[in-house]
């Protein structure tokens, strides 16, 4: 049996080329959805899933992520002197939220490589991986849903979602058979095979891997064992496929809505929907949208 999942790894060393020019001098993880940076949504999801230990894999030009989760004395002082209690709480809550560790990925050599950089901080215990440009809105946090499956089977679990055929090549795609779980057969799958970014004609299904994983520590051995794959990068999907040789891997079609906030259109959709849901902004924003002659 594995110990409980306590740690979440956030790969954040990517170059964010899909969001240029905004990401030329700013990490994509810091792009704000309404008023919160993308990475904070992921960190809050981890905390709400009882995962307190956050490990962020950063690279060059990512220091604003570290500053964001650190204390900002000047700002706290200013807000305190101006008696802006609400804002002060907002700012303090972020630095009080968690203990964050950082590790550097010097070159962007792929998602598998980024995860491997966290191996010493993770140790030999199961852990979560969160890709913060996949923002997931769910009643039960997506990571929590995956942790429950992991605890039941004692195995790795990836989040799955059906995607249209013309988009499948942007993802890791699985070949999987449905598994009965608490009488339901429509959400849980045992994975037989997987391919990173297949051509549409070679995709084994329409089930794509979304950026939430619970991984057993043996994944580090698999990452070490594989050669570079799609795009010349060390792919996490290839490592999971290697792991499949002697460990089961499950896929779970999570309940909730996922936004691809690393993509310009996906980011806009998320911004509009999250703003509409906000108690302080939703009303006037809805009125504004209605006033547009679309
Ligand atoms: C990564 C993974 C891919 C997964 C995707 C989900 O790809 O490599 O398997 O389907 O995240 O968002 P990326 O989007 O970083 O190219």
């Amino acid at each position: 049996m594995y110990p409980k999942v306590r740690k979440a790894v956030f790969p954040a060393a990517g170059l964010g080329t899909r969001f240029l020019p905004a990401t030329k001098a700013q990490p994509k993880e810091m792009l704000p959805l309404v008023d919160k940076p993308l990475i904070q949504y992921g960190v809050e999801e981890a905390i709400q899933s009882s995962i307190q230990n956050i490990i962020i894999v950063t690279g060059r030009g990512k220091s604003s992520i570290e500053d964001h989760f650190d204390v900002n004395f000047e700002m706290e002082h200013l807000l305190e002197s101006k008696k802006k209690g609400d804002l002060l709480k907002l700012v303090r809550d972020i630095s009080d939220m968690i203990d964050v560790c950082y590790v550097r990925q010097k070159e962007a050599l792929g998602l598998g490589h980024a995860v491997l950089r966290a191996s010493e901080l993770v140790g030999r215990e199961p852990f979560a991986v969160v890709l913060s440009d996949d923002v997931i809105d769910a009643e039960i946090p997506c990571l929590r849903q995956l942790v429950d499956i992991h605890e039941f089977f004692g195995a790795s679990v990836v989040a799955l979602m059906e995607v249209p055929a013309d988009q499948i090549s942007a993802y890791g795609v699985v070949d999987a058979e449905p598994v009965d779980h608490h009488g339901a057969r429509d959400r849980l799958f045992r994975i037989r095979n997987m391919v990173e970014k297949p051509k549409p004609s070679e995709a084994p299904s329409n089930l794509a891997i979304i950026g939430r994983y619970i991984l057993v520590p043996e994944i580090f051995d698999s990452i070490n064992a594989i050669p570079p794959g799609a795009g010349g990068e060390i792919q996490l999907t290839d490592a999971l496929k290697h792991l499949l040789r002697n460990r089961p891997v499950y896929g779970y079609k999570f309940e909730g809505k996922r936004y691809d906030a690393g993509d310009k259109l996906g980011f806009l959709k998320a911004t509009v929907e999250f703003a509409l849901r906000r108690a302080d902004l939703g009303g006037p924003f809805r009125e504004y949208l209605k006033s547009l002659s679309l």
Side-chain angles (χ1 to χ4, degrees):
M1 268 313 278
Y2 290 107
K4 278 207 171 312
V5 178
R6 301 184 302 149
K7 301 176 180 175
V9 175
F10 287 70
L15 297 177
T17 46
R18 285 195 294 163
F19 230 112
L20 281 169
T23 47
K24 189 179 167 209
Q26 182 194 203
K28 71 170 171 186
E29 293 77 12
M30 290 302 293
L31 294 171
L33 260 191
V34 187
D35 54 6
K36 229 192 289 180
L38 288 182
I39 193 163
Q40 195 177 332
Y41 286 90
V43 167
E44 288 178 0
E45 181 184 326
I47 294 168
Q48 285 156 11
S49 306
S50 307
I51 299 174
Q52 301 286 348
N53 251 295
I54 304 297
I55 299 166
I56 303 181
V57 184
T58 64
R60 252 186 310 278
K62 302 280 186 166
S63 52
S64 58
I65 300 178
E66 296 181 36
D67 291 340
H68 182 70
F69 291 110
D70 201 354
V71 179
N72 185 335
F73 290 112
E74 297 96 308
M75 186 172 287
E76 288 191 13
H77 181 71
L78 184 84
L79 294 172
E80 222 163 7
S81 63
K82 294 198 163 173
K83 308 233 175 314
K84 303 237 177 203
D86 287 1
L87 291 178
L88 182 62
K89 182 174 179 317
L90 219 68
V91 166
R92 276 202 180 135
D93 279 354
I94 301 166
S95 48
D96 287 350
M97 198 156 54
I98 33 155
D99 231 1
V100 195
C101 297
Y102 298 91
V103 61
R104 223 43 194 194
Q105 185 189 16
K106 291 188 189 130
E107 284 176 280
L109 297 179
L111 181 56
H113 181 259
V115 171
L116 186 61
R117 293 291 299 133
S119 63
E120 288 206 358
L121 289 173
V122 170
R124 300 303 286 185
E125 55 182 272
F127 62 102
V129 172
V130 177
L131 307 187
S132 44
D133 46 8
D134 283 328
V135 176
I136 299 176
D137 182 49
E139 211 163 292
I140 300 171
C142 180
L143 270 188
R144 181 71 247 168
Q145 299 177 40
L146 300 191
V147 168
D148 288 345
I149 302 288
H150 161 77
E151 287 180 350
F152 191 87
F153 291 98
S156 301
V157 190
V158 303
L160 294 178
M161 189 178 115
E162 288 174 17
V163 307
D166 64 336
Q167 292 164 29
I168 201 80
S169 302
Y171 296 91
V173 184
V174 301
D175 171 23
E177 59 185 318
V179 175
D180 258 332
H181 188 55
H182 299 317
R185 270 182 76 83
D186 55 345
R187 291 206 176 265
L188 185 66
F189 295 82
R190 179 148 175 180
I191 295 178
R192 286 187 288 238
N193 195 7
M194 52 187 107
V195 200
E196 179 68 12
K197 308 214 162 63
K199 289 186 193 138
S201 59
E202 285 161 17
S205 74
N206 64 346
L207 284 174
I209 302 173
I210 298 304
R212 299 291 185 279
Y213 309 74
I214 306 295
L215 301 173
V216 297
E218 289 75 12
I219 193 71
F220 295 127
D221 310 320
S222 291
I223 301 174
N224 269 319
I226 54 163
E233 297 187 339
I234 301 287
Q235 296 291 353
L236 186 57
T237 304
D238 295 345
L240 279 160
K241 182 175 168 173
H242 182 274
L243 185 71
L244 266 181
R245 294 182 195 175
N246 47 32
R247 308 263 159 179
V249 178
Y250 290 88
Y252 189 65
K253 252 186 358 180
F254 59 93
E255 290 177 60
K257 183 163 183 187
R258 171 257 188 178
Y259 301 86
D260 180 6
D263 166 78
K264 290 174 190 176
L265 184 59
F267 182 87
L268 286 172
K269 290 178 184 171
T271 301
V272 170
E273 291 188 36
F274 278 58
L276 283 172
R277 250 181 265 137
R278 281 271 294 254
D280 54 343
L281 294 168
F285 188 48
R286 178 169 283 104
E287 287 313 307
Y288 166 71
L289 290 178
K290 279 193 197 152
S291 77
L292 297 175
S293 36
L294 298 173

